[in-house]
Amino acid sequence: MYAEAVTIDAILADGHRRARRSGATAVLAAAVILAAFVYSDALDPKRYRDALPTILTLFGDAVPPDFARWRSWGKPLLDTLAMSVVGTVLGGLTAIPLGALAARGSGPAWLRHPALLLLNTLRSIPGLIWGVLFVAAVGFGPLPGIFALAFHSTGMLGKFYAEILEHMDPAPGNALRSHGVSELGVLRFSVWPQIMPRLMDVTLYRWEHNVRAATTLGMVGCGGIGQEIVVALDQFEYREASALILVLLALVTAIGMLGAGLRVRLLERISS
Amino acid sequence: MIRLENVTVRRGQNEVLHHLSAEIPSASITAVVGRSGVGKSTLLGVLNGLIRPVSGQVSVAGMAAMTCPVSLREYRRRTATVFQEHALIDRLPAIDNVLLGLADRRHPLSPLPWSNDMRSQAAVALNEVGLLHRATARADRLSGGERQRVGVARALVRKPSLLLGDEPFASVDPALVGQIGDMLREQVARNGMTVVLVMHQIETALALSDKVIGLVNGEVAYDGPACEFDTEAQERIFSM
Ligand SMILES: Nc1ncnc2c1ncn2[C@@H]1O[C@H](COP(=O)(O)OP(=O)(O)O)[C@@H](O)[C@H]1O
Ligand SMILES: [Mg+2]
């Protein structure tokens, strides 16, 4: 009896302790967020005085959008699209082995931290900086863009792939092992069917992201629609720039819908 | 016959089986009984090679030592296990989960789908556990009892010479338990299949098995014919 009472006291005390701790965490988080707002002048009304008129002027200069040169936009659009596809595929292919090494329990333990560090480095360096680096290395055009997307995507996808692998259920694989199936067989018959839909899901999602990223890469010399926009802005052709931005918006939306549709189908097909 | 000699197993910090010795006769049904946590699942893990004892050995009549990878693989190919937690792939349909029981008969790199012959074998196995009508349902849409029967079908499709079942009937209807039990009995008589079933329901265990191994805290507390398992033995094994 006595032992039981002590246990319950301990359980209640533990509950209180955890409630106090999460309360303190919430207060601390709120303080940090507020400090960030103040520090960045985001709460300073003086900074906003001239903003509205400027924005209105810019907007006035940019309407109506000017689609006159639409014929010459096909190639840059295609460049951007191709850049995003190739960059995603290369990034995904590199991310598979790196993600496997970075996942707990699927590679040699001593390689896990180096792999994580490499992935972390790849994705900590912003895509634009990768773009500048590769433009310097291989010259202008979509090629440096492809490498920039691939490097950054490897860092991102490798992390996701590793998490997918870690969340995989090992039990079916063990069942196969107990039936004399080789490790390659476990990979094929248990690991692959479990992770494949999720792998495709995050990769398609990354592709959608890369279409947008490919556009910004155009601004540092990687060609494509982004470069067209920069050129139009540089020449104060705001109406052409706004037309290009609308085209880009349509492209990104269309790809987003296509990607979302594919992902839903992918997750459902396996299910039926 | 499978012989366990002085088998000691550690899991994490704890020693779970202590110098356990027992024999499992061929072409018969052995029930492993005992309270929760005494090491029944661990014993099955030793028998299918997923758990390696720290000492002692497992030997199979007519086979080289289990420590030899070739004979371990050969032994495993003749073995089928029904897992307590089912060990199904949630997003695959029931029939595909049953087909996984035949994975050792396919080349891992073969791009071909499962053959029609394998598919029909899987369908037959699903029918044997009364689940043919759920063949195309995703495993995670099945009830606990249905999942368990998929696990049983995945083992049966292998036509194993050693069938290991970890509480395979825990949430299966009694009528169906009787039916599957009859089928197992028939395979034992006809094909000489050896069966080891972990069961916590002692009545089912006694009705189905020839021999009973009762465990208490990782040690054998009863080892004898099912017909001699009396209330005294029951008290020894199941009392608190
Ligand atoms: N993976 C594990 N790590 C550490 N201890 C475990 C593990 N699995 C089981 N155990 C412990 O081993 C003992 C026997 O477990 P188990 O064989 O599953 O028992 P049973 O099947 O008879 O209920 C239990 O005390 C359990 O807590
Ligand atoms: Mg168990």
Side-chain angles (χ1 to χ4, degrees):
Chain A
M1 271 326 277
Y2 183 65
E4 224 164 60
V6 169
T7 317
I8 286 171
D9 277 351
I11 291 169
L12 295 182
D14 180 58
H16 284 299
R17 196 163 42 239
R18 263 185 295 178
R20 266 201 306 277
R21 200 174 306 158
S22 49
T25 311
V27 170
L28 189 68
V32 168
I33 291 168
L34 186 67
F37 267 84
V38 172
Y39 180 80
S40 60
D41 287 350
L43 298 177
D44 180 3
K46 286 200 291 288
R47 299 295 306 267
Y48 298 105
R49 210 174 296 139
D50 299 331
L52 197 61
T54 313
I55 289 173
L56 285 178
T57 318
L58 257 179
F59 188 73
D61 290 345
V63 287
D66 176 7
F67 290 90
R69 289 193 344 109
W70 65 271
R71 261 174 249 273
S72 59
W73 296 344
K75 181 166 185 311
L77 270 177
L78 217 58
D79 280 353
T80 299
L81 260 184
M83 213 195 300
S84 70
V85 170
V86 178
T88 310
V89 169
L90 287 182
L93 288 179
T94 328
I96 289 176
L98 285 176
L101 289 178
R104 211 183 306 271
S106 66
W110 61 271
L111 262 178
R112 189 169 161 251
H113 281 283
L116 276 171
L117 188 69
L118 178 60
L119 291 174
N120 210 344
T121 313
L122 287 175
R123 76 174 174 276
S124 302
I125 299 176
L128 273 181
I129 293 186
W130 282 120
V132 172
L133 281 175
F134 283 114
V135 167
V138 302
F140 293 103
L143 191 66
I146 287 168
F147 287 132
L149 291 179
F151 271 63
H152 196 250
S153 300
T154 297
M156 214 63 201
L157 288 175
K159 176 92 166 70
F160 281 129
Y161 292 177
E163 268 166 28
I164 290 170
L165 273 173
E166 282 177 6
H167 286 123
M168 184 194 68
D169 182 6
N174 281 333
L176 290 174
R177 284 188 189 98
S178 81
H179 292 163
V181 175
S182 65
E183 288 306 306
L184 189 61
V186 171
L187 207 63
R188 162 77 154 81
F189 296 114
S190 170
V191 176
W192 182 244
Q194 285 191 71
I195 67 171
M196 193 276 288
R198 260 170 251 196
L199 234 55
M200 290 298 178
D201 185 47
V202 297
T203 310
L204 279 169
Y205 190 72
R206 185 67 201 178
W207 176 52
E208 292 168 35
H209 170 98
N210 279 348
V211 175
R212 294 187 295 270
T215 314
T216 36
L217 280 168
M219 303 184 175
V220 297
C222 298
I225 186 93
Q227 190 155 341
E228 297 295 307
I229 295 177
V230 170
V231 169
L233 286 174
D234 279 351
Q235 300 173 346
F236 304 106
E237 301 277 1
Y238 292 128
R239 291 177 48 213
E240 187 178 336
S242 68
L244 279 164
I245 290 171
L246 285 179
V247 168
L248 175 68
L249 202 65
L251 175 77
V252 169
T253 310
I255 295 218
M257 279 159 60
L258 176 71
L262 281 176
R263 288 177 12 234
V264 167
R265 290 235 353 231
L266 200 82
L267 293 177
E268 254 170 17
R269 203 199 49 202
I270 311 288
S271 66
S272 56
Chain B
M1 187 173 69
I2 304 171
R3 191 196 303 268
L4 296 151
E5 278 170 298
N6 260 320
V7 168
T8 297
V9 173
R10 282 183 156 282
R11 302 189 79 171
Q13 303 296 322
N14 307 323
E15 193 174 297
V16 177
L17 299 179
H18 322 286
H19 300 286
L20 184 144
S21 296
E23 281 176 5
I24 290 157
S26 300
S28 70
I29 300 184
T30 301
V32 177
V33 300
R35 291 174 44 216
S36 165
V38 293
K40 305 184 296 296
S41 297
T42 305
L43 179 59
L44 278 202
V46 171
L47 284 173
N48 67 26
L50 282 181
I51 295 173
R52 202 151 296 167
V54 288
S55 68
Q57 54 182 345
V58 182
S59 50
V60 182
M63 287 194 88
M66 278 305 116
T67 44
C68 158
V70 177
S71 61
L72 176 63
R73 183 127 180 213
E74 178 51 35
Y75 168 78
R76 284 176 149 185
R77 278 170 181 264
R78 291 199 244 142
T79 305
T81 305
V82 181
F83 290 85
Q84 190 168 16
E85 315 289 349
H86 321 309
L88 306 180
I89 296 182
D90 281 344
R91 34 173 100 252
L92 291 185
I95 184 99
D96 286 48
N97 271 291
V98 177
L99 282 164
L100 290 182
L102 298 172
D104 57 330
R105 283 151 222 188
R106 267 188 75 179
H107 194 281
L109 295 180
S110 156
L112 301 174
W114 298 95
S115 70
N116 277 343
D117 177 45
M118 286 177 162
R119 278 185 188 282
S120 353
Q121 291 179 45
V124 169
L126 270 180
N127 195 33
E128 282 171 338
V129 297
L131 263 187
L132 192 55
H133 64 292
R134 300 291 273 151
T136 56
R138 261 176 77 134
D140 57 4
R141 308 258 160 87
L142 300 174
S143 74
E146 287 172 331
R147 287 171 63 85
Q148 197 156 41
R149 280 143 68 193
V150 174
V152 174
R154 182 178 62 188
L156 291 177
V157 77
R158 297 175 60 70
K159 306 214 163 36
S161 43
L162 172 63
L163 177 70
L164 306 171
D166 199 347
E167 312 222 7
F169 307 134
S171 44
V172 176
D173 293 340
L176 203 59
V177 173
Q179 211 173 306
I180 298 174
D182 287 346
M183 189 185 66
L184 292 183
R185 278 243 141 270
E186 191 191 313
Q187 295 214 29
V188 168
R190 197 151 39 100
N191 307 330
M193 181 166 72
T194 305
V195 182
V196 182
L197 298 177
V198 169
M199 283 188 275
H200 69 265
Q201 273 188 308
I202 188 66
E203 296 79 18
T204 328
L206 294 180
L208 199 57
S209 60
D210 305 297
K211 170 178 175 155
V212 174
I213 296 175
L215 296 185
V216 174
N217 292 332
E219 286 173 7
V220 176
Y222 179 91
D223 183 345
C227 55
E228 288 172 17
F229 192 90
D230 52 17
T231 46
E232 185 270 325
Q234 186 159 343
E235 219 147 78
R236 191 147 35 92
I237 288 161
F238 288 98
S239 67
M240 299 297 277

